[in-house]
Amino acid sequence: MSLIKCTECGKEFSDKASACPNCGCPIDDIISSVQTGVDANVTNELNSASKKKPCKKAIILFFVVAIIIISAFSIIFLQHKKAADERKAYIENLNSFSSSILSGASTVETTANKIHNVWYNCIMSKSDSETDPYTKNNLGGFHSDFNTALRNYFSSDEYISSVASINASTDTISIIYQDLQNPPEEFSNTYDVVDDLYESYLSFTTLATSPSGSLQDYTSNFNVLDAEILSLYKKLDALIPEE
């Protein structure tokens, strides 16, 4: 025998009785009410469990979408950063190229002017403390052949050192020039100027490292290339963005 609780008055009584001795509620009604309550609880639990499943799916979907969005923004950010870094590096190379050209051209100009002066002063028998060691013989007279004066200068430590400096500068400029090839679209016009300046510079260096022709042609070529390099340098300088 066991006790059950009356669903009407709440009093406990034996399950062998046909009705609640306190309120008279039939035991069949009490058992039916208890069973209905159990079924309702089970139903509620099942409904609750079924409602929780969609919530889990929604949370998972939310995280998946969030990850996709974050990944997309990360890719875009990295692409923009890469483009910005490449642009910065290209501008730095442009500045290095420009300054190296200016420095190298200055050495070429000094050396070429010295060649011109030795050449001219020997022909014109013009004394000059800078060129006399090359244009005059041991007796103090001028060499009859200007080629002798030029050979004297070309064998001097001064000229050899200048040519070594020019060659070193040219090597540096050539490396930077290679790095400037395949420019970003923004710098396509700038690269055209770089290309022209590089070719003019190479031609200019030959006046110092491999002079040839007549004095008149040498002087003319020097003046043309000197002016051309200065003009292209200024043009390039105006095209380089200030960062």
Side-chain angles (χ1 to χ4, degrees):
M1 179 183 72
S2 60
L3 298 177
I4 61 173
K5 182 182 286 187
C6 178
T7 57
E8 292 295 326
C9 65
K11 297 293 184 176
E12 292 184 343
F13 65 94
S14 172
D15 61 353
K16 300 297 183 180
S18 59
C20 175
N22 183 57
C23 66
C25 181
I27 192 169
D28 291 339
D29 291 347
I30 294 172
I31 293 173
S32 177
S33 296
V34 171
Q35 184 63 44
T36 301
V38 171
D39 292 342
N41 289 336
V42 172
T43 301
N44 289 336
E45 289 179 1
L46 290 175
N47 289 339
S48 177
S50 64
K51 288 179 181 179
K52 289 180 181 178
K53 289 181 180 179
C55 290
K56 291 182 179 179
K57 290 181 179 179
I59 292 172
I60 293 173
L61 180 61
F62 171 79
F63 279 111
V64 169
V65 172
I67 291 171
I68 292 173
I69 293 173
I70 292 171
S71 298
F73 274 107
S74 298
I75 292 172
I76 293 172
F77 172 77
L78 291 174
Q79 288 176 339
H80 280 289
K81 186 177 185 302
K82 180 182 178 182
D85 290 343
E86 288 176 351
R87 182 179 186 273
K88 181 180 179 182
Y90 197 84
I91 291 173
E92 289 176 352
N93 281 334
L94 284 172
N95 283 315
S96 296
F97 180 81
S98 178
S99 60
S100 297
I101 283 283
L102 187 63
S103 176
S106 177
T107 304
V108 172
E109 186 177 53
T110 300
T111 306
N113 272 324
K114 189 65 170 287
I115 292 172
H116 171 273
N117 292 340
V118 170
W119 200 338
Y120 177 83
N121 289 347
C122 185
I123 292 174
M124 303 304 296
S125 299
K126 180 181 178 180
S127 293
D128 185 318
S129 60
E130 292 291 324
T131 61
D132 284 350
Y134 315 111
T135 59
K136 292 183 177 182
N137 56 36
N138 294 334
L139 299 176
F142 287 92
H143 295 293
S144 58
D145 186 354
F146 68 85
N147 286 306
T148 302
L150 288 175
R151 280 195 296 270
N152 289 339
Y153 177 59
F154 294 153
S155 63
S156 68
D157 291 338
E158 176 188 329
Y159 177 76
I160 293 171
S161 176
S162 295
V163 170
S165 176
I166 292 169
N167 288 335
S169 295
T170 301
D171 289 342
T172 299
I173 291 168
S174 296
I175 292 172
I176 301 173
Y177 174 73
Q178 292 295 325
D179 291 336
L180 290 172
Q181 293 183 15
N182 301 317
E185 185 176 353
E186 175 188 356
F187 297 105
S188 58
N189 291 334
T190 306
Y191 177 75
D192 291 339
V193 179
V194 167
D195 195 42
D196 291 341
L197 181 54
Y198 180 69
E199 293 300 325
S200 295
Y201 174 78
L202 292 182
S203 297
F204 194 47
T205 60
T206 61
L207 295 177
T209 59
S210 303
S212 60
S214 66
L215 178 59
Q216 182 178 357
D217 289 340
Y218 184 84
T219 303
S220 176
N221 290 336
F222 174 87
N223 291 334
V224 169
L225 289 170
D226 191 42
E228 188 175 275
I229 287 176
L230 181 59
S231 175
L232 289 170
Y233 168 80
K234 290 181 178 179
K235 188 175 181 180
L236 176 61
D237 190 58
L239 289 172
I240 299 176
E242 293 185 5
E243 294 295 318

